[in-house]
Amino acid sequence: MARALGAEPGGILSLDALLEEHSEAIEYDLIAFGLRLRMLGTDALCWADLRSIVKHLPLDSALLRVIHPEASRWKVAEHLLADVSDSLRWLAWARTDDGRRGRNQPEPIARPGRKSNRERVGTATELDQMNDFLGWNE
């Protein structure tokens, strides 16, 4: 079966599934462009146009807020503020007796998509596997 240059199979089906699940958010985002879902399939809004719009929506779009609610609340400023706060807490801790002994280090502020230090600590088996992978156990 011949395909147009750059076309991927299932494009319309994928969009249709997305529309079934998140039509209200997509409609809201389209309104910003002066479009409506009811225009889909016309010269005003073809399926390729909808695909391009959905694929390149800004990070603060309604669709991305619905799909990734936790991550969408964190913008660059929030990440930078969390980094500054973590740094200040670490500096204050470093001047304490615990800091000089290297214990009870403060937990960083939880960020979306990032595991806490306690969740990141690996077991000896995981460390051995990583050392094998890196070739350090040879």
Side-chain angles (χ1 to χ4, degrees):
M1 180 165 128
R3 291 196 327 230
L5 183 63
E8 297 175 12
I12 291 177
L13 292 176
S14 298
L15 280 172
D16 186 49
L18 192 66
L19 282 168
E20 276 189 39
E21 193 169 347
H22 303 293
S23 62
E24 191 172 303
I26 294 172
E27 179 84 36
Y28 183 86
D29 288 331
L30 286 174
I31 290 171
F33 295 105
L35 301 168
R36 301 286 191 280
L37 273 178
R38 65 179 173 263
M39 298 174 170
L40 186 59
T42 68
D43 288 341
L45 182 64
C46 68
W47 285 97
D49 294 339
L50 181 61
R51 179 176 183 260
S52 294
I53 291 168
V54 166
K55 189 174 180 179
H56 299 286
L57 283 170
L59 295 175
D60 63 345
S61 70
L63 180 60
L64 292 178
R65 286 192 311 265
V66 167
I67 293 173
H68 304 290
E70 183 64 30
S72 66
R73 288 195 296 257
W74 280 71
K75 307 289 185 274
V76 172
E78 284 80 7
H79 282 284
L80 291 173
L81 284 171
D83 286 342
V84 168
S85 177
D86 288 344
S87 296
L88 289 173
R89 288 173 48 217
W90 187 88
L91 287 170
W93 166 81
R95 296 184 60 142
T96 66
D97 287 337
D98 279 347
R100 284 188 279 280
R101 291 185 175 95
R103 61 182 183 204
N104 298 326
Q105 186 172 354
E107 275 289 314
I109 292 174
R111 292 162 174 79
R114 230 192 243 181
K115 293 182 179 180
S116 72
N117 282 343
R118 290 185 181 124
E119 293 175 284
R120 275 189 248 165
V121 174
T123 63
T125 304
E126 291 169 339
L127 292 174
D128 288 339
Q129 289 172 346
M130 182 57 72
N131 287 337
D132 288 341
F133 176 76
L134 295 172
W136 292 354
N137 281 343
E138 296 173 359

